[in-house]
Amino acid sequence: MTHLPDWLQQQAAAAPDRPALIAADTIWSFGALAGAADRLARTLREAGAQAGAPVALLAANRPVFAAAVHAVARCGVTLAPLNTRLNPHELRWQLEDLGAQVLLHDAAYHDLAAASTPAGVRLLALDESPPPPPSSPPLLLNLAAIHTLIYTSGTTGTPKAAQLSYGNHWWSAVGSALNLGVHADDRWLAVLPLFHVGGLAILMRSVIYGMPVVLHERFDPAAINRAIDEQGVTIISVVATMLQRMLAERGDRPYPAQLRCVLLGGGPAPRHLLEACAARNIPVVQTYGMTETASQAVTLAPADALRKLGSAGRPLLPLQVRIDAGHTAPEQVGEIYVRGPLVTAGYRNRPVPLHDGWLATGDLGYLDSEGYLYVVDRRDDLIISGGENVYPAEVEAVLQSHPAVQEAGVVGLADAAWGMVPVAFVAAEPDHALDQQELIAFARNRLAGYKVPRQIVVLAEALPRTAAGKLRRNLLRRRLTELLPLDNTGEVDK
Amino acid sequence: MTHLPDWLQQQAAAAPDRPALIAADTIWSFGALAGAADRLARTLREAGAQAGAPVALLAANRPVFAAAVHAVARCGVTLAPLNTRLNPHELRWQLEDLGAQVLLHDAAYHDLAAASTPAGVRLLALDESPPPPPSSPPLLLNLAAIHTLIYTSGTTGTPKAAQLSYGNHWWSAVGSALNLGVHADDRWLAVLPLFHVGGLAILMRSVIYGMPVVLHERFDPAAINRAIDEQGVTIISVVATMLQRMLAERGDRPYPAQLRCVLLGGGPAPRHLLEACAARNIPVVQTYGMTETASQAVTLAPADALRKLGSAGRPLLPLQVRIDAGHTAPEQVGEIYVRGPLVTAGYRNRPVPLHDGWLATGDLGYLDSEGYLYVVDRRDDLIISGGENVYPAEVEAVLQSHPAVQEAGVVGLADAAWGMVPVAFVAAEPDHALDQQELIAFARNRLAGYKVPRQIVVLAEALPRTAAGKLRRNLLRRRLTELLPLDNTGEVDK
């Protein structure tokens, strides 16, 4: 059982005045962050938070969120950061599922917290005033202890709280460091929500590397581009739609050379986006990860971005990846399994999902002969049509390569003859009209007949996505049942 | 029990053609190194090496040394790299103490190996020819398993084989990475002997970071300086005498900007050396470490080099340091204890020296109010004179600040009145004469009376040091007994 000196205390002792969190209106040094964590831990103890009990958190991407992340180590509770985009009904379900006794919230989310709180849960407002000096005695972190409970974003199914240990976070940060490097002048921009693992992991890297984080509360492409220019940002974590909007806002102006890594997650990136980045010398590192691996699991280096187009890359050093395809031939699609010290030990109050340490990701993919992973789709989203596998992501990529299509989402529709058939939802590029028949013909020229959508539904609004940018095909499927019976506009022969 | 995919296999799969080892006459890629390790593992299995058994190694700083380091993981043996400067009598003692059945050697050390081998130990010559492609199936490393047995350099006492696990090496490499950073263009120059932990740790970092190592077989300041200029060296590990000779050879020519870290170990550095480096913008990182911590334990950043002169710096992130002074007041000298995942679990066939995970280092030191460690001396070298502590290193530093003194070593001499009194051995700078009385007067102006050496013995040759550059005061003490009765030339009143 490995113990490490508290990471934040280490950084606060080595460089108390070094910036830890750079927000729009305030900067907290590592010393201030340690002081804020100590202050909040005292508040939690006074509120009667029990060691081992979950403390829920509803807060924006602000320094005080990080105070909560590090306060929990100081009073032995676990932190359950909640998704601020959920409605009170969903939040109440999670608070009850957790058995949380305390809900921490910042000023911005007071009303949502109050509306979501079941009886018996104590609401505690976070203290956003300047922190006092650190006051805790030296602290050890047990890497086996649970630090965080995060409800998986759940593109399908009921939310489950993945348990992430201090060790999961540590190994994730170290795996990322060994892959992306660590520079003394690094500053990581966090605009992904901190309640998701992609944002939270940046806060963990901050205290493990001694690295400042530039915090943005919401995605504003102009503000992000300005921060990169003016605040020495060297790394930024984004999803594809963010990067697209950043490039659109940026125009032809190059990014400064110190921006050494654009970590791109949240699903496969469109080819045109990668080509645009390559043409502008933007160092995109694609990554495949999940809550259950404490963030990044597999990444693709910029040098491979186009050579291995569509690949998520190679596993981080501490991680093992295998494909369960019933056999071991390369390039065979099967469910992706992961194992290693950055993988969760399981979900709270649910059966342990590991077999000999291996976690089934629910994603389908394959490894090429060089060991690069290709994620083809969610297992639950797989459409089996006449015995053939149709991967929605493949069909979506073809539809999205049409100049008039901004986004596409493909789901299966029950069909008496074929079992299931693919149906597509699309949103048009601004100022483009979509002709469904033409789009089907376009797809037919590029895909086997059984993969061509039977129907194309044009949406006036954007496709539903999780806060982490993942397409929510379960909502599309629900929508599909609402639309039934479909008209025959887009029907095609197989 | 944590398992990781074999580090070398990971690097060989990710970048098979990337240089791993750059020697004077050959370059081995990570693919070649993996092939060489696989080949040697086959040879060892064919030679009947038993899983868990120690395999000894006698080899120069050449690529084939690294092949041995990684071969042992492939056949489950442990590696005991032997000091090539020992004589056959000393080597035979270690081989018998180990119970080694196999002694690997390279061409350069065939004769020494043959002369040192007890009956029943099989000699195996390392294959230094170009390696075949890798052939081993995917391998997992158990971090709890013992990788290396290293006889501690033993400035005092009987040699003991410290056991270093895969995990000790891993945590050491990660601790160093988080402290010094990891850059994609890093190249680490290894001229410290690979049979010592300071050299061996560079080979471990190489496969954990995917970083080329520039290997030098012997210390030639001109060759080192040329390698820095011409081979893109970014980090070099040295001891003070090496750095002094490099600067002397270099003259006024600045080092290229890519040289970002000169890791300086092997004992406290003289002030004039640190000042010379600061004046030339040479980024010296002082470090205190030992075999038992798998290399670096505490380091001092260049920014603190002069502000915290004499300090070894702050602990690496995974390490805890405490001073056992019988009380907890800051700046109190006591024995230095270390704890953490990079600390050895113990010595082979010796009692476990840990208490609740804490290892007594045998060194004396103190922590200042900011948590910086000052190592004052070896506990065994402490001279207690009339109830006062005399730290030899302090007296040596004063003597060495005299312009005519190149080196000084101070040991205790039994004394009826005072218990012990300090006696100094000194070597003169070239073309300088040493006047013992003047040197004693010089010391008396700078030290309390009880610290002033009673005698000064001028040596015509260099002071005895270990291969890692540490002063061997035990040999000076032995010399002192041989010199008795001393003449009275240098005697002083207290």
Side-chain angles (χ1 to χ4, degrees):
Chain A
M1 212 159 59
T2 302
H3 289 77
L4 296 185
D6 180 74
W7 309 321
L8 173 55
Q9 285 184 332
Q10 293 275 85
Q11 303 302 346
D17 301 326
R18 185 173 168 79
L21 300 162
I22 301 168
D25 54 357
T26 185
I27 295 179
W28 279 11
S29 66
F30 281 102
L33 178 57
D38 291 345
R39 174 174 66 185
L40 177 55
R42 204 161 45 243
T43 305
L44 282 168
R45 276 192 300 265
E46 287 164 7
Q50 304 286 317
V55 166
L57 170 68
L58 204 53
N61 276 21
R62 304 263 309 146
V64 76
F65 193 112
V69 166
H70 302 297
V72 298
R74 286 153 175 74
C75 48
V77 301
T78 55
L79 187 73
L82 303 181
N83 185 335
T84 57
R85 302 188 194 180
L86 298 185
N87 65 39
H89 174 80
E90 294 166 307
L91 289 171
R92 184 174 302 114
W93 185 91
Q94 292 188 1
L95 287 163
E96 286 171 346
D97 184 61
L98 283 170
Q101 319 245 292
V102 175
L103 172 57
L104 296 172
H105 64 83
D106 62 5
Y109 290 103
H110 170 269
D111 293 350
L112 181 59
S116 310
T117 307
V121 176
R122 179 153 176 194
L123 275 187
L124 269 185
L126 291 162
D127 186 345
E128 303 182 50
S129 66
S135 57
S136 285
L139 186 71
L140 286 180
L141 305 180
N142 174 1
L143 295 192
I146 302 302
H147 178 276
T148 330
L149 300 166
I150 305 187
Y151 282 93
T152 51
S153 54
T155 47
T156 57
T158 310
K160 304 171 282 192
Q163 304 181 101
L164 293 178
S165 66
Y166 289 85
N168 293 150
H169 289 301
W170 167 266
W171 284 90
S172 170
V174 167
S176 178
L178 294 177
N179 185 49
L180 301 180
V182 180
H183 294 198
D185 67 350
D186 272 341
R187 289 185 169 199
W188 204 306
L189 192 148
V191 63
L192 298 180
L194 297 177
F195 56 75
H196 275 318
V197 78
L200 179 64
I202 300 172
L203 296 184
M204 291 300 185
R205 291 179 204 121
S206 168
V207 295
I208 292 172
Y209 307 167
M211 173 184 72
V213 170
V214 177
L215 270 180
H216 281 235
E217 285 193 62
R218 60 191 63 80
F219 180 74
D220 169 349
I224 302 283
N225 282 334
R226 206 161 49 238
I228 292 172
D229 288 334
E230 296 171 7
Q231 294 189 286
V233 171
T234 63
I235 311 184
I236 179 172
S237 298
V238 289
V239 297
T241 52
M242 290 178 173
L243 185 53
Q244 259 159 337
R245 292 178 58 197
M246 284 166 60
L247 296 192
E249 196 278 336
R250 187 81 182 175
D252 289 332
R253 235 166 358 116
Y255 282 101
Q258 102 271 346
L259 181 70
R260 67 181 188 85
C261 173
V262 174
L263 190 65
L264 180 59
R271 177 177 197 116
H272 67 85
L273 177 61
L274 295 174
E275 284 172 344
C277 289
R280 294 178 193 210
N281 251 330
I282 299 172
V284 173
V285 176
Q286 295 175 78
T287 182
Y288 163 72
M290 62 206 83
T291 303
E292 291 85 345
T293 59
S295 172
Q296 302 166 57
V298 173
T299 70
L300 187 68
D304 290 330
L306 293 172
R307 183 176 80 89
K308 293 284 187 180
L309 190 85
S311 171
R314 292 185 40 84
L316 292 189
L317 198 142
L319 191 79
Q320 300 167 63
V321 171
R322 71 173 171 83
I323 301 299
D324 183 15
H327 40 75
T328 58
E331 317 241 338
Q332 285 295 327
V333 172
E335 186 162 7
I336 301 167
Y337 279 72
V338 291
R339 181 166 75 172
L342 45 71
V343 176
T344 178
Y347 302 97
R348 183 174 163 86
N349 297 334
R350 301 282 190 285
V352 172
L354 304 186
H355 306 281
D356 190 23
W358 289 101
L359 177 86
T361 63
D363 289 322
L364 298 173
Y366 64 90
L367 294 167
D368 73 8
S369 59
E370 294 181 84
Y372 285 72
L373 179 70
Y374 291 75
V375 182
V376 299
D377 229 311
R378 290 289 303 168
R379 193 186 53 183
D380 296 340
D381 290 340
L382 179 66
I383 302 165
I384 302 178
S385 187
E388 296 280 5
N389 288 350
V390 179
Y391 300 110
E394 181 189 8
V395 182
E396 289 158 5
V398 164
L399 295 174
Q400 279 166 185
S401 70
H402 187 284
V405 173
Q406 186 173 62
E407 309 182 88
V410 171
V411 294
L413 172 67
D415 183 276
W418 302 102
M420 296 193 97
V421 292
V423 171
F425 289 80
V426 296
E429 285 282 355
D431 310 319
H432 282 73
L434 275 178
D435 177 325
Q436 289 147 315
Q437 289 304 338
E438 192 240 312
L439 197 51
I440 284 173
F442 178 86
R444 194 182 284 142
N445 281 335
R446 289 162 178 80
L447 290 168
Y450 66 90
K451 299 180 184 175
V452 175
R454 278 292 178 99
Q455 307 267 349
I456 289 189
V457 181
V458 179
L459 295 181
E461 72 280 6
L463 268 57
R465 292 186 183 274
T466 69
K470 285 189 191 159
L471 189 61
R472 301 184 67 181
R473 293 204 189 95
N474 57 331
L475 294 190
L476 294 179
R477 277 192 289 271
R478 193 185 304 168
R479 182 103 179 224
L480 198 57
T481 60
E482 292 161 8
L483 288 174
L484 286 173
L486 292 166
D487 66 40
N488 286 329
T489 318
E491 187 156 349
V492 292
D493 295 322
K494 287 203 54 153
Chain B
M1 212 159 60
T2 302
H3 289 75
L4 296 184
D6 180 74
W7 308 322
L8 173 55
Q9 285 185 332
Q10 292 276 85
Q11 302 302 348
D17 300 327
R18 184 172 169 79
L21 300 162
I22 301 168
D25 54 355
T26 184
I27 296 178
W28 280 10
S29 65
F30 281 102
L33 177 57
D38 290 346
R39 175 173 66 186
L40 177 56
R42 205 161 46 242
T43 305
L44 281 169
R45 276 192 299 264
E46 287 165 6
Q50 305 285 317
V55 166
L57 170 68
L58 203 54
N61 275 22
R62 304 262 309 147
V64 76
F65 193 112
V69 166
H70 302 297
V72 299
R74 287 153 175 73
C75 47
V77 299
T78 55
L79 187 72
L82 303 182
N83 185 334
T84 57
R85 301 188 194 180
L86 298 186
N87 66 38
H89 175 80
E90 294 166 307
L91 289 170
R92 185 173 302 116
W93 185 92
Q94 292 189 359
L95 287 163
E96 285 170 347
D97 184 61
L98 284 169
Q101 319 243 291
V102 175
L103 172 57
L104 296 171
H105 64 85
D106 62 5
Y109 289 103
H110 170 270
D111 293 350
L112 181 60
S116 310
T117 307
V121 176
R122 179 154 177 195
L123 275 187
L124 268 184
L126 291 161
D127 187 344
E128 302 183 52
S129 66
S135 57
S136 286
L139 185 70
L140 287 180
L141 305 180
N142 175 0
L143 294 193
I146 302 301
H147 177 275
T148 330
L149 300 167
I150 305 187
Y151 281 93
T152 51
S153 55
T155 47
T156 58
T158 310
K160 305 171 282 193
Q163 305 182 99
L164 293 178
S165 66
Y166 289 86
N168 293 149
H169 288 301
W170 167 266
W171 285 89
S172 169
V174 167
S176 178
L178 294 177
N179 185 49
L180 302 179
V182 180
H183 293 197
D185 67 352
D186 272 340
R187 289 186 171 197
W188 204 306
L189 192 148
V191 63
L192 297 180
L194 297 176
F195 56 76
H196 275 319
V197 77
L200 179 64
I202 301 172
L203 296 184
M204 291 300 185
R205 292 179 203 122
S206 168
V207 295
I208 291 172
Y209 307 167
M211 171 184 73
V213 170
V214 177
L215 269 180
H216 281 235
E217 284 192 63
R218 58 191 62 80
F219 179 73
D220 170 348
I224 302 284
N225 282 333
R226 206 162 48 239
I228 292 171
D229 288 334
E230 297 172 5
Q231 295 189 285
V233 171
T234 63
I235 311 184
I236 179 170
S237 297
V238 289
V239 296
T241 52
M242 289 177 174
L243 185 52
Q244 259 159 337
R245 293 179 58 196
M246 284 166 59
L247 296 192
E249 196 278 335
R250 188 81 183 177
D252 289 333
R253 239 169 351 120
Y255 283 100
Q258 102 270 346
L259 181 69
R260 67 182 187 84
C261 173
V262 174
L263 191 65
L264 179 60
R271 176 175 197 118
H272 67 85
L273 177 61
L274 295 174
E275 285 171 343
C277 288
R280 296 178 191 209
N281 251 331
I282 299 173
V284 172
V285 176
Q286 294 173 79
T287 182
Y288 163 71
M290 60 206 85
T291 304
E292 292 84 346
T293 59
S295 174
Q296 301 166 58
V298 174
T299 69
L300 187 68
D304 290 330
L306 293 173
R307 183 175 80 89
K308 293 283 188 182
L309 189 85
S311 171
R314 292 185 40 83
L316 293 188
L317 199 143
L319 192 78
Q320 298 167 66
V321 171
R322 71 173 170 84
I323 302 298
D324 183 14
H327 39 76
T328 57
E331 318 241 338
Q332 285 296 328
V333 172
E335 185 163 5
I336 301 167
Y337 281 72
V338 292
R339 182 166 74 172
L342 44 72
V343 176
T344 178
Y347 303 97
R348 183 174 163 87
N349 298 333
R350 302 281 189 285
V352 173
L354 305 186
H355 306 280
D356 190 23
W358 289 100
L359 177 86
T361 63
D363 288 322
L364 297 173
Y366 65 91
L367 293 167
D368 72 8
S369 59
E370 294 182 85
Y372 285 73
L373 179 70
Y374 291 74
V375 182
V376 296
D377 230 310
R378 289 289 303 166
R379 193 186 54 181
D380 295 341
D381 291 340
L382 178 67
I383 302 164
I384 302 178
S385 186
E388 297 280 5
N389 288 349
V390 179
Y391 301 110
E394 181 190 9
V395 183
E396 289 158 5
V398 165
L399 295 175
Q400 279 166 186
S401 70
H402 188 284
V405 174
Q406 187 172 59
E407 309 181 89
V410 172
V411 294
L413 173 67
D415 182 277
W418 303 101
M420 296 193 98
V421 291
V423 171
F425 290 80
V426 296
E429 285 281 357
D431 309 322
H432 282 72
L434 275 178
D435 177 325
Q436 289 148 315
Q437 290 303 340
E438 192 242 312
L439 198 51
I440 284 172
F442 178 86
R444 195 183 285 143
N445 281 335
R446 289 163 177 79
L447 291 167
Y450 66 90
K451 298 180 183 174
V452 176
R454 279 290 179 102
Q455 308 267 349
I456 290 190
V457 181
V458 179
L459 295 181
E461 72 280 9
L463 268 58
R465 292 184 182 275
T466 68
K470 286 188 189 159
L471 187 62
R472 300 184 66 182
R473 294 204 189 93
N474 58 331
L475 295 189
L476 293 180
R477 276 192 290 271
R478 193 184 303 167
R479 183 103 178 224
L480 199 55
T481 60
E482 292 162 7
L483 288 175
L484 286 173
L486 293 166
D487 66 42
N488 287 328
T489 317
E491 189 155 350
V492 292
D493 295 320
K494 284 197 65 149

